[in-house]
Amino acid sequence: MNILHIDSGIFIDQSVSRKLSADIVAHLSAKQSPTQLVYRDLVTQPVPHLDASTLLDGDNALTQQLITEVQAADVLVIGAPMYNFTIPTQLKAWLDRILKAGVTFKYTEQGPVGLLNNKTVYIASGRGGIYSQGEAAAMDHQESYLKQALAFVGITDVHIIRAEGVNLGEEPRATALAAAATAVASL
């Protein structure tokens, strides 16, 4: 099992998504030792944002490396906190590099077809508020965006381990973290 572990939480020491993603990797590794574990921290080693020259340069070494990491992975573990109703800009920069026409998806007469099949993704989702239900659910452009972007490249086996409401006080935080720990243990 090859695991690609990605973190994008900017609050490195306090990040809920980083803790969850590390717990997921540890749990999966305990069940089956990875043959390869690649870790990419998009905050301490940021991927530059896409620009016109990078988009047009099909041989960009960094883009090729990022795509190769995803292609080689059987499992992706993505630490993805919600910032301003969506994903961190660092994670968006990574996605902009791996969503590449002719490489990770192709256009056909029936529409786009993803080329990254047979992969499993675990999203470690951290949220300060509650966005999985109620009126605030309409503001979720984090988990919904990630699932859509991954499906576009053919990755549809996506599991979300969520800790939400972590900024609503000590008790809601503890409850959210306990629920996420239970979800990790059941993987």
Side-chain angles (χ1 to χ4, degrees):
M1 173 174 63
N2 293 331
I3 298 175
L4 174 58
H5 179 187
I6 298 166
D7 272 325
S8 62
I10 62 173
F11 300 103
I12 294 173
D13 294 331
Q14 299 102 347
S15 175
V16 169
S17 66
R18 283 176 179 270
K19 178 188 178 341
L20 290 179
S21 71
D23 291 349
I24 293 167
V25 169
H27 180 79
L28 295 174
S29 297
K31 290 176 69 173
Q32 178 181 345
S33 294
T35 54
Q36 182 179 10
L37 174 61
V38 174
Y39 179 69
R40 184 164 288 281
D41 188 325
L42 300 176
V43 174
T44 62
Q45 296 179 326
V47 172
H49 288 278
L50 203 57
D51 60 22
S53 65
T54 303
L55 186 61
L56 295 173
D57 179 9
D59 293 327
N60 180 282
L62 176 59
T63 298
Q64 291 301 321
Q65 179 183 356
L66 298 174
I67 290 171
T68 298
E69 290 172 0
V70 173
Q71 290 171 327
D74 302 305
V75 174
L76 287 82
V77 177
I78 302 173
M82 177 187 273
Y83 297 151
N84 300 320
F85 313 112
T86 190
I87 62 173
T89 184
Q90 293 85 351
L91 184 53
K92 175 70 166 79
W94 177 81
L95 284 167
D96 283 343
R97 298 295 183 115
I98 68 157
L99 275 74
K100 187 163 178 65
V103 179
T104 60
F105 71 93
K106 66 180 178 179
Y107 291 110
T108 70
E109 291 178 8
Q110 293 75 35
V113 174
L115 302 175
L116 296 175
N117 303 303
N118 303 317
K119 297 184 184 306
T120 300
V121 174
Y122 297 95
I123 297 172
S125 174
R127 300 165 160 202
I130 306 290
Y131 296 93
S132 63
Q133 57 189 331
E135 290 181 26
M139 294 187 279
D140 172 15
H141 305 290
Q142 171 216 21
E143 292 175 5
S144 60
Y145 174 75
L146 281 171
K147 288 168 69 174
Q148 188 73 40
L150 292 167
F152 193 79
V153 294
I155 302 172
T156 57
D157 186 11
V158 177
H159 308 270
I160 296 176
I161 308 299
R162 179 186 307 124
E164 65 179 347
V166 298
N167 290 343
L168 299 178
E170 288 303 315
E171 187 175 326
R173 180 182 181 85
T175 300
L177 293 175
T182 299
V184 170
S186 70
L187 296 177

